[in-house]
Amino acid sequence: MIESAETSAGEPTAVRGFSPRTGRPIGDPVPVSSEAEVDRVVAAAREVLPGWAARDGGERASVLAAVADALDAARDELVAIADGETALGVVRLAGEVGRTSGQLRMFAGLLRAGAHVGAVLSPADPALGRPDVRRMLHPIGVVAVFAASNFPFAFSVVGGDTASAWAAGCPVVVKVHEAHPATSIAVARVVRAALTAAGAAEDLLGLVVGPASGAPLVTHPGIAAVGFTGSLAGGRALFDLAAGRPDPIPFFGELGSVNPVVVLPGAAAERADELARGYLGSLTLGTGQFCTNPGLLFVPEAGGLPDAIAAHTRTTTGGPMLSERIRDAYERSTAAYAGPEPARGTAGEGAWAVAPVVRRTGLAEFVAHAAELTEETFGPAGLVVTYPDPDRLLTALAVLPGSLTGSVHAVEADHPLAARVAAVLRPRVGRLVHNGWPTGVAVCWAMHHGGPWPATTAPGHTSVGGAALRRWLVPTAYQDWPDALLPPELRDANPLGVPREIQP
Amino acid sequence: MIESAETSAGEPTAVRGFSPRTGRPIGDPVPVSSEAEVDRVVAAAREVLPGWAARDGGERASVLAAVADALDAARDELVAIADGETALGVVRLAGEVGRTSGQLRMFAGLLRAGAHVGAVLSPADPALGRPDVRRMLHPIGVVAVFAASNFPFAFSVVGGDTASAWAAGCPVVVKVHEAHPATSIAVARVVRAALTAAGAAEDLLGLVVGPASGAPLVTHPGIAAVGFTGSLAGGRALFDLAAGRPDPIPFFGELGSVNPVVVLPGAAAERADELARGYLGSLTLGTGQFCTNPGLLFVPEAGGLPDAIAAHTRTTTGGPMLSERIRDAYERSTAAYAGPEPARGTAGEGAWAVAPVVRRTGLAEFVAHAAELTEETFGPAGLVVTYPDPDRLLTALAVLPGSLTGSVHAVEADHPLAARVAAVLRPRVGRLVHNGWPTGVAVCWAMHHGGPWPATTAPGHTSVGGAALRRWLVPTAYQDWPDALLPPELRDANPLGVPREIQP
């Protein structure tokens, strides 16, 4: 079966969506973008940059809110297309549209509050010979966004990267993910119409399509920064391109994460069954296709928790993965597991369905093979590491690579140990979770979805939450600048009423 | 004359200071650091990281203030050594010590105010199923700092990078600059004693010495981030090393800048003589050895300003440059100038003294050779570009590369044009100066000393001013974390009284 036409060079000329349930193509082929097309899309985005950058926070907020409304209004239509391409299910996908529109509204709220411009005023001090200096943040330029496979709405065409870049005043060019091309085209159609209706330029959103369109996008002179969510290998390759440009640009990539979860002895003794259920619920949610999937679980050797987890694993059902490539990688990775036979669930229905797999090992074995055992397996695969005592646990946690999250299950009696565990985890993770599971990232002002390499390429920044827009902003200091020529946010009268920090 | 011993591999075993006035060695040889020594210094810094990171803002502030006091107390001794190695003069150098201690005190003040932790609270919302999330910033780890040649105090051992990293909670390892090794050793001695006396670890400051120590420092697994001030070529090489690590780390480099200054027609007509004087004062200050040196000046073709500048240039006197290498580069670069004979001042006294050189060209010529004519010449060399009319000026400004600063001289009648010029300059520079010269960077909360490539490698961040410490901080989100286990800054009771943003 020929899935797509090819050029004489062997490059496909179109991208097809596939049903993970049947393994067969679904929807219309979407033509891939030539380098000339990438040029054209970036040029169109640059064209609309000055106008969008010049709008104040309140004006941008109204546009974001209008896009959110349009997404909600088109929800059922979009969910149906996405469910065909991803098999994530209409309930989850409808929720994800709500998360996506909610995220746009959160940024709209932040824009109305005005703190995003980071206004700081240092008044002149003639005694010190210090001039008047006023600082605020401005948009960095056109942002390239790489959509992820596993969130066809929330981390795709108009997901968190796009919403935060728009909020910052930046037009966006999205590299469509091959796992949901029809969804991407449908979302873009809805969004571009909403932009136009709201009085904004439709070219605030551009799309490029095809695996070969990523490199020319990252290296394009018209691109000022990149947002990426995806695999370690793919992210690293694009990061290297961004850093290797004649003019390197910031690359905000969210790559790989094993998300360690530590169950302390008191919690294990008191809540074994609840913890086993909770762990497998988190591990198998969305067929394990989350960057916050709990890949590593540390539990006391003594007590029944390890066996309870193995027993619960055998009752779980997996599901179809997002693409044939992802399914193949999961099967390859779990088939190569050394050591004792893991506990397995069943795969369930679907051409690309896979079964949950949970391995178990001891702490010494884990430390001895840490490099290999802390590699992320994308999907519902977990490693349970049993620890004999807290001191050896603490030593072992120090070998962990960077992760998006670190979680601790504890009862009150565990608190002194929880503090020591947190001290080891904190420099290694972006988010510390207490008595909860890492999957599910709340979209709120205080969220940090980031972490040290390989969790991200930029440990100082987040791709979810209010601070996500800071990635797309650069400061300007205005020295002795005439009041009438200052941006309104910095004028003496502060006509927009933005919050400002004033040096005493 | 043998300046230094060499190993069998031909690498020098020591670094010597030289007097720019005599061209002869001065002070004792300083042994270069082997790779084992780099290891040892980084390990010592890592050892003291947890203790320093655990101190609250007020505690760190006291230590910074104590170091500031110690620098001021040792000022005369340090200035004498630095004047020998740099020939910058005791007045300038005494002022620079004051700037350096003042900078430490500014960060102490910021730490006491508490906003540096960036505390944000998103309370739980059970209706939305949202957990309690609290976010704050923590130190990134041990920071490598590359000292600059041209500020033996303010951008060297205990300059802005070190002060801001300490404020953030990070120990520092400084790569000493070869242009002032004895000064560096003397400063480190004063500072390490002050740290100890203030109850802090002396290994908060480590030094590595020698050109070959830079690469092992940047690629060392114990280093979490890098601050660099220096040349485009040197900065790019180290940036590439940081980005090429198995675990890439943030590299905050301040590299090259031509700092365009635009004189608008009204200002040129009304203030020609003052502008000619001011320009040459800024161009020749410190023998032009500032990253904010005004390398490019745009003036109206009509009127007497271009000739006034040429006339004033011939009355200027240069001075000795910081090193033989820098002097040679300046002579090579200015000797290679094509086109009409530039106006020249006199070199003045000193073995490595150079003369100011000011070239002049038309706008069309400038645009045709922009790539070459916008390359920074480190030293008192300027290019005056004459423009026939504002519209062609605006087109030409759009070819400018990234710079730290952009300045506009205008009278009230020029304001409409000034606004248009600022709109073109703003995305290309970090600081906009009105009716002033770019040299002299005020150390204040609102300062931004940064800009797009090649001005810096990280356009979102600054190396001077209150926000400089943000480079060395990474966020952590605490989800449903027990109050007693939270850092004090995030506890309900807010015992340290830090400012906190609370999501409504």
Side-chain angles (χ1 to χ4, degrees), chain A residues 46 53 106 110 115 120-122 130-131 133-135 137-140 224 236 239-240 242-250 406-408 415-416 418-419 422 426 428-438 440-449 453 456-462 464 467 470 473-482 484-485 501-504, chain B residues 46 53 106 110 115 120-122 130-131 133-135 137-140 224 236 239-240 242-250 406-408 415-416 418-419 422 426 428-438 440-449 453 456-462 464 467 470 473-482 484-485 501-504:
Chain A
R46 279 185 67 89
M106 181 195 70
L110 278 165
V120 183
L121 277 61
S122 292
R130 194 174 78 192
V133 183
R134 305 176 186 215
R135 167 191 165 112
L137 301 171
H138 289 286
I140 193 170
R236 176 79 207 216
F239 168 83
D240 288 344
R245 288 168 56 125
D247 56 335
I249 56 172
S407 306
V408 179
H415 277 188
R426 207 270 309 146
R428 291 171 175 79
V429 307
R431 175 166 51 113
L432 284 167
V433 181
H434 181 260
N435 284 351
W437 301 96
V441 183
V443 177
C444 58
W445 288 15
M447 179 49 63
H448 180 60
H449 190 61
W453 178 271
T456 76
T457 60
H461 293 273
T462 180
V464 178
R470 182 60 183 82
L473 291 165
V474 292
T476 305
Y478 295 81
Q479 180 172 322
D480 289 335
W481 208 254
L485 298 185
E501 199 175 358
I502 299 178
Q503 181 168 5
Chain B
R46 279 185 67 90
M106 181 194 71
L110 278 166
V120 184
L121 278 62
S122 292
R130 194 175 79 192
V133 183
R134 302 174 188 217
R135 167 191 166 111
L137 301 170
H138 290 286
I140 193 171
R236 176 77 206 217
F239 169 82
D240 288 345
R245 288 169 55 123
D247 56 335
I249 57 173
S407 306
V408 179
H415 278 189
R426 208 271 307 147
R428 292 171 174 80
V429 306
R431 174 166 53 110
L432 284 167
V433 181
H434 181 259
N435 284 352
W437 301 97
V441 183
V443 177
C444 58
W445 289 14
M447 180 48 65
H448 180 61
H449 190 61
W453 179 270
T456 77
T457 60
H461 293 273
T462 180
V464 177
R470 182 60 182 83
L473 292 165
V474 292
T476 305
Y478 295 81
Q479 180 171 322
D480 289 335
W481 207 255
L485 299 184
E501 199 177 359
I502 299 179
Q503 180 169 6

Side-chain angles (χ1 to χ4, degrees), chain B residues 33 35 38 144-146 174-176 178 208-220 223 226 238 241 251:
Chain B
S33 308
E35 282 207 38
V38 174
V145 169
F146 283 74
V174 177
K175 152 68 178 61
V176 165
E178 288 75 29
V208 299
V209 177
S213 65
L217 186 61
V218 168
T219 55
H220 197 289
I223 294 296
V226 183
L238 294 171
L241 286 177
F251 184 93

Side-chain angles (χ1 to χ4, degrees), chain B residues 149-244:
Chain B
S149 62
N150 57 342
F151 280 93
F153 300 113
F155 285 82
S156 190
V157 170
V158 66
D161 283 342
T162 297
S164 57
W166 283 348
C170 302
V172 167
V173 176
V174 177
K175 152 68 178 61
V176 165
H177 199 282
E178 288 75 29
H180 51 268
T183 307
S184 303
I185 298 297
V187 168
R189 190 173 35 72
V190 168
V191 168
R192 285 170 60 99
L195 289 169
T196 306
E202 63 177 5
D203 286 330
L204 287 175
L205 177 66
L207 296 190
V208 299
V209 177
S213 65
L217 186 61
V218 168
T219 55
H220 197 289
I223 294 296
V226 183
F228 172 92
T229 306
S231 72
L232 179 54
R236 176 77 206 217
L238 294 171
F239 169 82
D240 288 345
L241 286 177

